[in-house]
Amino acid sequence: MAQKVILTGDRPTGRLHLGHYVGSLRRRVELQNAGGYKDMFVFIADAQALTDNMDNPEKVRQNVVEVALDYLSVGLDPAKVTIFIQSQIPELTELSFYYMDLVSVSRLQRNPTVKTEIQMRGFNESIPVGFFTYPISQAADITAFKATTVPVGEDQKPMLEQTNEIVRRFNHIYGPTLVEPEILLPDNAACLRLPGTDGKAKMSKSLGNCIYLSDDAKTVDKGVKSMYTDPLHLRVEDPGHLEGNTVFTYLDAFCRAEHFPAFWPEYQSLDEVKEHYQRGGLGDGKVKKFLTAILQQELEPIRQRRREYEQDIPAVYEMLRHGCEHAREVAAQTLDEVRRAMKINYFDDADLIREQAERFAAKK
Ligand code: TRP
């Protein structure tokens, strides 16, 4: 399908971690390399990050380049993918403004992701309007590029649903203009919501349970060593449990057949390891050692590429500037179509001016 347009983005509130990696970054690189798409966009959602970091612009500013480095180091290739910064595309704010007419306050209040975020941030009675309406701005991000395919985590599902409602409403009222996107979720439950190293629901900077893509080998080592396992598995001989066992969740997300001959030839498959663990007689230390080897192998080329890109930061900004230029062209094209559909393209419409002239002339 040559018309496929892939688009996704991240808020620059910190460096990207393993949760981002298995939830979306790894998939993006696969999509990029598989080809068969018309265009692919990956962007840094700095304006969205400011909706709940309005008082900390320096944090957002610092993390724009960190996220750009993370993108490049996982293997996103600016020759194949347009990487850009949200705030540099003013067309997005204009689109958001028009989409606001198509969404009710109560619909926004029902968005479950926003609901949880409002609670987590303690906004309660004083919710910033920009934060409350960010699902609308996200619909602009997606539709400005006529994205068909949005690879994101499960928490973004409500945003995609709201986007599709906006698209349907817009097209119904103003005529077919916008494209309904589809969400592309990770295909494996462990990747859908990677827990933090402490076994808590989700890897998240605020919980301090992250392993970052840019962490050095020693930090990754420590992260795995400290990982939550099975509190009932006290002695090696004890039967172990897999449920809620973070090390096994990570193995589900990262382990591949070729890792066994390379790092643990005593076993043929993850199922075999799991069976042994459940039966008893397999210690956490060995499983952790295996996971560490897998993670280091996966992360080392990422760290290496990052170090290379870090040598030429001006080139990273230059790459972003190029990306923004291309993104603006595409968004401006969509905005033209939107204005035409909404009948607010007065000066591009010679017919309009002629018709109005005739109408008023006929009054004489
Ligand atoms: N909300 C996304 C996040 O928190 C970031 C984002 C903004 C995004 N606009 C988007 C993702 C459009 C996909 C498509 O990670």
PDB file of all heavy atoms in Angstrom, residues 28-29 32-33 37 40-42 68 70-83 305 309 319:
ATOM      1  N   ARG A  28       9.312   1.130  15.124  1.00  0.00           N
ATOM      2  CA  ARG A  28       9.497   2.207  14.135  1.00  0.00           C
ATOM      3  C   ARG A  28      10.666   1.903  13.215  1.00  0.00           C
ATOM      4  O   ARG A  28      10.604   2.161  12.018  1.00  0.00           O
ATOM      5  CB  ARG A  28       9.789   3.530  14.842  1.00  0.00           C
ATOM      6  CG  ARG A  28       8.669   4.020  15.669  1.00  0.00           C
ATOM      7  CD  ARG A  28       9.077   5.298  16.343  1.00  0.00           C
ATOM      8  NE  ARG A  28       8.258   5.536  17.516  1.00  0.00           N
ATOM      9  CZ  ARG A  28       8.425   6.531  18.353  1.00  0.00           C
ATOM     10  NH1 ARG A  28       9.406   7.390  18.157  1.00  0.00           N
ATOM     11  NH2 ARG A  28       7.638   6.675  19.386  1.00  0.00           N
ATOM     12  N   VAL A  29      11.735   1.397  13.813  1.00  0.00           N
ATOM     13  CA  VAL A  29      12.912   1.112  13.000  1.00  0.00           C
ATOM     14  C   VAL A  29      12.588  -0.021  12.017  1.00  0.00           C
ATOM     15  O   VAL A  29      12.976   0.041  10.843  1.00  0.00           O
ATOM     16  CB  VAL A  29      14.117   0.766  13.895  1.00  0.00           C
ATOM     17  CG1 VAL A  29      15.343   0.437  13.050  1.00  0.00           C
ATOM     18  CG2 VAL A  29      14.420   1.921  14.838  1.00  0.00           C
ATOM     19  N   GLN A  32      10.496   1.503   9.308  1.00  0.00           N
ATOM     20  CA  GLN A  32      11.363   2.323   8.471  1.00  0.00           C
ATOM     21  C   GLN A  32      12.113   1.444   7.466  1.00  0.00           C
ATOM     22  O   GLN A  32      12.178   1.753   6.281  1.00  0.00           O
ATOM     23  CB  GLN A  32      12.372   3.066   9.346  1.00  0.00           C
ATOM     24  CG  GLN A  32      13.537   3.653   8.580  1.00  0.00           C
ATOM     25  CD  GLN A  32      14.683   4.044   9.499  1.00  0.00           C
ATOM     26  OE1 GLN A  32      14.656   5.110  10.088  1.00  0.00           O
ATOM     27  NE2 GLN A  32      15.689   3.196   9.619  1.00  0.00           N
ATOM     28  N   ASN A  33      12.646   0.337   7.960  1.00  0.00           N
ATOM     29  CA  ASN A  33      13.482  -0.491   7.100  1.00  0.00           C
ATOM     30  C   ASN A  33      12.683  -1.388   6.169  1.00  0.00           C
ATOM     31  O   ASN A  33      13.188  -1.805   5.129  1.00  0.00           O
ATOM     32  CB  ASN A  33      14.454  -1.313   7.945  1.00  0.00           C
ATOM     33  CG  ASN A  33      15.443  -0.411   8.673  1.00  0.00           C
ATOM     34  OD1 ASN A  33      15.727   0.702   8.204  1.00  0.00           O
ATOM     35  ND2 ASN A  33      15.937  -0.856   9.809  1.00  0.00           N
ATOM     36  N   TYR A  37       6.050   2.439   2.399  1.00  0.00           N
ATOM     37  CA  TYR A  37       5.185   3.527   2.856  1.00  0.00           C
ATOM     38  C   TYR A  37       5.467   4.755   1.998  1.00  0.00           C
ATOM     39  O   TYR A  37       6.521   4.855   1.362  1.00  0.00           O
ATOM     40  CB  TYR A  37       5.425   3.845   4.325  1.00  0.00           C
ATOM     41  CG  TYR A  37       6.893   3.998   4.675  1.00  0.00           C
ATOM     42  CD1 TYR A  37       7.542   5.211   4.499  1.00  0.00           C
ATOM     43  CD2 TYR A  37       7.628   2.922   5.164  1.00  0.00           C
ATOM     44  CE1 TYR A  37       8.877   5.348   4.797  1.00  0.00           C
ATOM     45  CE2 TYR A  37       8.975   3.051   5.462  1.00  0.00           C
ATOM     46  CZ  TYR A  37       9.596   4.255   5.275  1.00  0.00           C
ATOM     47  OH  TYR A  37      10.922   4.392   5.556  1.00  0.00           O
ATOM     48  N   MET A  40       7.122   8.758   6.257  1.00  0.00           N
ATOM     49  CA  MET A  40       7.149   8.395   7.669  1.00  0.00           C
ATOM     50  C   MET A  40       7.652   9.591   8.468  1.00  0.00           C
ATOM     51  O   MET A  40       8.661  10.206   8.110  1.00  0.00           O
ATOM     52  CB  MET A  40       8.040   7.163   7.883  1.00  0.00           C
ATOM     53  CG  MET A  40       8.120   6.720   9.320  1.00  0.00           C
ATOM     54  SD  MET A  40       8.758   5.034   9.485  1.00  0.00           S
ATOM     55  CE  MET A  40       8.978   4.966  11.266  1.00  0.00           C
ATOM     56  N   PHE A  41       6.922   9.901   9.534  1.00  0.00           N
ATOM     57  CA  PHE A  41       7.256  11.050  10.385  1.00  0.00           C
ATOM     58  C   PHE A  41       7.417  10.598  11.827  1.00  0.00           C
ATOM     59  O   PHE A  41       6.585   9.845  12.331  1.00  0.00           O
ATOM     60  CB  PHE A  41       6.138  12.095  10.355  1.00  0.00           C
ATOM     61  CG  PHE A  41       5.846  12.656   8.995  1.00  0.00           C
ATOM     62  CD1 PHE A  41       4.900  12.056   8.165  1.00  0.00           C
ATOM     63  CD2 PHE A  41       6.517  13.775   8.538  1.00  0.00           C
ATOM     64  CE1 PHE A  41       4.622  12.577   6.908  1.00  0.00           C
ATOM     65  CE2 PHE A  41       6.251  14.304   7.284  1.00  0.00           C
ATOM     66  CZ  PHE A  41       5.301  13.699   6.469  1.00  0.00           C
ATOM     67  N   VAL A  42       8.459  11.072  12.458  1.00  0.00           N
ATOM     68  CA  VAL A  42       8.615  10.850  13.891  1.00  0.00           C
ATOM     69  C   VAL A  42       8.929  12.212  14.495  1.00  0.00           C
ATOM     70  O   VAL A  42       9.822  12.912  14.007  1.00  0.00           O
ATOM     71  CB  VAL A  42       9.757   9.849  14.171  1.00  0.00           C
ATOM     72  CG1 VAL A  42       9.990   9.727  15.666  1.00  0.00           C
ATOM     73  CG2 VAL A  42       9.433   8.476  13.575  1.00  0.00           C
ATOM     74  N   ALA A  68      16.061  13.438  20.360  1.00  0.00           N
ATOM     75  CA  ALA A  68      16.586  13.347  18.988  1.00  0.00           C
ATOM     76  C   ALA A  68      17.759  12.366  18.946  1.00  0.00           C
ATOM     77  O   ALA A  68      17.851  11.522  18.042  1.00  0.00           O
ATOM     78  CB  ALA A  68      17.018  14.724  18.498  1.00  0.00           C
ATOM     79  N   ASP A  70      18.273   9.897  21.029  1.00  0.00           N
ATOM     80  CA  ASP A  70      17.724   8.556  21.214  1.00  0.00           C
ATOM     81  C   ASP A  70      17.178   8.007  19.888  1.00  0.00           C
ATOM     82  O   ASP A  70      17.398   6.851  19.546  1.00  0.00           O
ATOM     83  CB  ASP A  70      16.618   8.565  22.274  1.00  0.00           C
ATOM     84  CG  ASP A  70      17.170   8.665  23.699  1.00  0.00           C
ATOM     85  OD1 ASP A  70      18.287   8.166  23.945  1.00  0.00           O
ATOM     86  OD2 ASP A  70      16.481   9.229  24.570  1.00  0.00           O
ATOM     87  N   TYR A  71      16.468   8.856  19.156  1.00  0.00           N
ATOM     88  CA  TYR A  71      15.927   8.424  17.854  1.00  0.00           C
ATOM     89  C   TYR A  71      17.043   7.954  16.932  1.00  0.00           C
ATOM     90  O   TYR A  71      16.980   6.885  16.332  1.00  0.00           O
ATOM     91  CB  TYR A  71      15.214   9.584  17.154  1.00  0.00           C
ATOM     92  CG  TYR A  71      13.869   9.966  17.706  1.00  0.00           C
ATOM     93  CD1 TYR A  71      13.267  11.170  17.328  1.00  0.00           C
ATOM     94  CD2 TYR A  71      13.168   9.138  18.580  1.00  0.00           C
ATOM     95  CE1 TYR A  71      12.028  11.536  17.805  1.00  0.00           C
ATOM     96  CE2 TYR A  71      11.920   9.511  19.069  1.00  0.00           C
ATOM     97  CZ  TYR A  71      11.358  10.712  18.675  1.00  0.00           C
ATOM     98  OH  TYR A  71      10.128  11.088  19.141  1.00  0.00           O
ATOM     99  N   LEU A  72      18.061   8.800  16.819  1.00  0.00           N
ATOM    100  CA  LEU A  72      19.145   8.481  15.896  1.00  0.00           C
ATOM    101  C   LEU A  72      19.882   7.227  16.357  1.00  0.00           C
ATOM    102  O   LEU A  72      20.268   6.390  15.551  1.00  0.00           O
ATOM    103  CB  LEU A  72      20.118   9.660  15.796  1.00  0.00           C
ATOM    104  CG  LEU A  72      19.529  10.919  15.140  1.00  0.00           C
ATOM    105  CD1 LEU A  72      20.441  12.114  15.361  1.00  0.00           C
ATOM    106  CD2 LEU A  72      19.297  10.681  13.647  1.00  0.00           C
ATOM    107  N   SER A  73      20.038   7.107  17.672  1.00  0.00           N
ATOM    108  CA  SER A  73      20.853   5.992  18.152  1.00  0.00           C
ATOM    109  C   SER A  73      20.129   4.644  18.053  1.00  0.00           C
ATOM    110  O   SER A  73      20.776   3.618  17.916  1.00  0.00           O
ATOM    111  CB  SER A  73      21.379   6.258  19.564  1.00  0.00           C
ATOM    112  OG  SER A  73      20.323   6.452  20.448  1.00  0.00           O
ATOM    113  N   VAL A  74      18.804   4.626  18.082  1.00  0.00           N
ATOM    114  CA  VAL A  74      18.131   3.336  17.856  1.00  0.00           C
ATOM    115  C   VAL A  74      18.106   2.966  16.380  1.00  0.00           C
ATOM    116  O   VAL A  74      17.755   1.846  16.027  1.00  0.00           O
ATOM    117  CB  VAL A  74      16.686   3.257  18.413  1.00  0.00           C
ATOM    118  CG1 VAL A  74      16.669   3.381  19.921  1.00  0.00           C
ATOM    119  CG2 VAL A  74      15.760   4.259  17.757  1.00  0.00           C
ATOM    120  N   GLY A  75      18.468   3.913  15.530  1.00  0.00           N
ATOM    121  CA  GLY A  75      18.584   3.578  14.115  1.00  0.00           C
ATOM    122  C   GLY A  75      17.565   4.254  13.212  1.00  0.00           C
ATOM    123  O   GLY A  75      17.445   3.900  12.038  1.00  0.00           O
ATOM    124  N   LEU A  76      16.825   5.205  13.736  1.00  0.00           N
ATOM    125  CA  LEU A  76      15.972   5.985  12.824  1.00  0.00           C
ATOM    126  C   LEU A  76      16.902   6.777  11.920  1.00  0.00           C
ATOM    127  O   LEU A  76      17.882   7.368  12.380  1.00  0.00           O
ATOM    128  CB  LEU A  76      15.033   6.901  13.603  1.00  0.00           C
ATOM    129  CG  LEU A  76      13.872   6.196  14.317  1.00  0.00           C
ATOM    130  CD1 LEU A  76      13.051   7.199  15.106  1.00  0.00           C
ATOM    131  CD2 LEU A  76      12.975   5.441  13.338  1.00  0.00           C
ATOM    132  N   ASP A  77      16.588   6.767  10.639  1.00  0.00           N
ATOM    133  CA  ASP A  77      17.487   7.318   9.642  1.00  0.00           C
ATOM    134  C   ASP A  77      16.827   8.523   8.970  1.00  0.00           C
ATOM    135  O   ASP A  77      15.821   8.377   8.285  1.00  0.00           O
ATOM    136  CB  ASP A  77      17.782   6.212   8.613  1.00  0.00           C
ATOM    137  CG  ASP A  77      18.630   6.703   7.465  1.00  0.00           C
ATOM    138  OD1 ASP A  77      18.970   7.912   7.433  1.00  0.00           O
ATOM    139  OD2 ASP A  77      18.945   5.881   6.589  1.00  0.00           O
ATOM    140  N   PRO A  78      17.389   9.716   9.186  1.00  0.00           N
ATOM    141  CA  PRO A  78      16.769  10.926   8.628  1.00  0.00           C
ATOM    142  C   PRO A  78      16.647  10.896   7.107  1.00  0.00           C
ATOM    143  O   PRO A  78      15.882  11.679   6.547  1.00  0.00           O
ATOM    144  CB  PRO A  78      17.712  12.047   9.067  1.00  0.00           C
ATOM    145  CG  PRO A  78      18.591  11.467  10.099  1.00  0.00           C
ATOM    146  CD  PRO A  78      18.609   9.991   9.959  1.00  0.00           C
ATOM    147  N   ALA A  79      17.361   9.986   6.456  1.00  0.00           N
ATOM    148  CA  ALA A  79      17.211   9.879   5.005  1.00  0.00           C
ATOM    149  C   ALA A  79      15.899   9.169   4.661  1.00  0.00           C
ATOM    150  O   ALA A  79      15.385   9.299   3.556  1.00  0.00           O
ATOM    151  CB  ALA A  79      18.396   9.111   4.409  1.00  0.00           C
ATOM    152  N   LYS A  80      15.374   8.416   5.614  1.00  0.00           N
ATOM    153  CA  LYS A  80      14.146   7.663   5.340  1.00  0.00           C
ATOM    154  C   LYS A  80      12.949   8.216   6.099  1.00  0.00           C
ATOM    155  O   LYS A  80      11.806   7.984   5.714  1.00  0.00           O
ATOM    156  CB  LYS A  80      14.343   6.192   5.753  1.00  0.00           C
ATOM    157  CG  LYS A  80      15.398   5.475   4.949  1.00  0.00           C
ATOM    158  CD  LYS A  80      15.514   4.032   5.408  1.00  0.00           C
ATOM    159  CE  LYS A  80      16.633   3.320   4.657  1.00  0.00           C
ATOM    160  NZ  LYS A  80      17.260   2.288   5.506  1.00  0.00           N
ATOM    161  N   VAL A  81      13.222   8.883   7.217  1.00  0.00           N
ATOM    162  CA  VAL A  81      12.166   9.325   8.108  1.00  0.00           C
ATOM    163  C   VAL A  81      12.321  10.814   8.361  1.00  0.00           C
ATOM    164  O   VAL A  81      13.437  11.292   8.572  1.00  0.00           O
ATOM    165  CB  VAL A  81      12.274   8.578   9.465  1.00  0.00           C
ATOM    166  CG1 VAL A  81      11.273   9.112  10.463  1.00  0.00           C
ATOM    167  CG2 VAL A  81      12.094   7.087   9.272  1.00  0.00           C
ATOM    168  N   THR A  82      11.218  11.538   8.341  1.00  0.00           N
ATOM    169  CA  THR A  82      11.266  12.958   8.690  1.00  0.00           C
ATOM    170  C   THR A  82      11.162  13.096  10.198  1.00  0.00           C
ATOM    171  O   THR A  82      10.148  12.717  10.785  1.00  0.00           O
ATOM    172  CB  THR A  82      10.098  13.703   8.016  1.00  0.00           C
ATOM    173  OG1 THR A  82      10.199  13.509   6.614  1.00  0.00           O
ATOM    174  CG2 THR A  82      10.138  15.188   8.343  1.00  0.00           C
ATOM    175  N   ILE A  83      12.204  13.593  10.801  1.00  0.00           N
ATOM    176  CA  ILE A  83      12.200  13.824  12.244  1.00  0.00           C
ATOM    177  C   ILE A  83      12.034  15.327  12.456  1.00  0.00           C
ATOM    178  O   ILE A  83      12.778  16.121  11.877  1.00  0.00           O
ATOM    179  CB  ILE A  83      13.508  13.313  12.878  1.00  0.00           C
ATOM    180  CG1 ILE A  83      13.694  11.809  12.573  1.00  0.00           C
ATOM    181  CG2 ILE A  83      13.499  13.551  14.390  1.00  0.00           C
ATOM    182  CD1 ILE A  83      14.993  11.217  13.081  1.00  0.00           C
ATOM    183  N   ARG A 305      26.247   4.283  18.781  1.00  0.00           N
ATOM    184  CA  ARG A 305      25.762   5.273  17.810  1.00  0.00           C
ATOM    185  C   ARG A 305      25.515   6.608  18.499  1.00  0.00           C
ATOM    186  O   ARG A 305      25.800   7.666  17.964  1.00  0.00           O
ATOM    187  CB  ARG A 305      24.475   4.780  17.150  1.00  0.00           C
ATOM    188  CG  ARG A 305      24.704   4.191  15.754  1.00  0.00           C
ATOM    189  CD  ARG A 305      23.403   4.034  15.014  1.00  0.00           C
ATOM    190  NE  ARG A 305      22.477   3.216  15.778  1.00  0.00           N
ATOM    191  CZ  ARG A 305      22.251   1.935  15.548  1.00  0.00           C
ATOM    192  NH1 ARG A 305      22.868   1.322  14.571  1.00  0.00           N
ATOM    193  NH2 ARG A 305      21.396   1.251  16.287  1.00  0.00           N
ATOM    194  N   TYR A 309      26.879  10.381  17.474  1.00  0.00           N
ATOM    195  CA  TYR A 309      26.052  11.565  17.207  1.00  0.00           C
ATOM    196  C   TYR A 309      26.349  12.692  18.195  1.00  0.00           C
ATOM    197  O   TYR A 309      26.275  13.869  17.854  1.00  0.00           O
ATOM    198  CB  TYR A 309      24.569  11.206  17.225  1.00  0.00           C
ATOM    199  CG  TYR A 309      24.131  10.480  15.975  1.00  0.00           C
ATOM    200  CD1 TYR A 309      23.784   9.137  16.019  1.00  0.00           C
ATOM    201  CD2 TYR A 309      24.075  11.133  14.747  1.00  0.00           C
ATOM    202  CE1 TYR A 309      23.378   8.466  14.873  1.00  0.00           C
ATOM    203  CE2 TYR A 309      23.681  10.480  13.601  1.00  0.00           C
ATOM    204  CZ  TYR A 309      23.331   9.147  13.664  1.00  0.00           C
ATOM    205  OH  TYR A 309      22.944   8.485  12.538  1.00  0.00           O
ATOM    206  N   MET A 319      19.757  18.503  11.227  1.00  0.00           N
ATOM    207  CA  MET A 319      18.879  17.431  10.767  1.00  0.00           C
ATOM    208  C   MET A 319      17.431  17.742  11.158  1.00  0.00           C
ATOM    209  O   MET A 319      16.502  17.591  10.358  1.00  0.00           O
ATOM    210  CB  MET A 319      19.375  16.117  11.398  1.00  0.00           C
ATOM    211  CG  MET A 319      18.568  14.870  11.157  1.00  0.00           C
ATOM    212  SD  MET A 319      17.066  14.677  12.150  1.00  0.00           S
ATOM    213  CE  MET A 319      17.754  14.403  13.783  1.00  0.00           C
TER     214      MET A 319
END
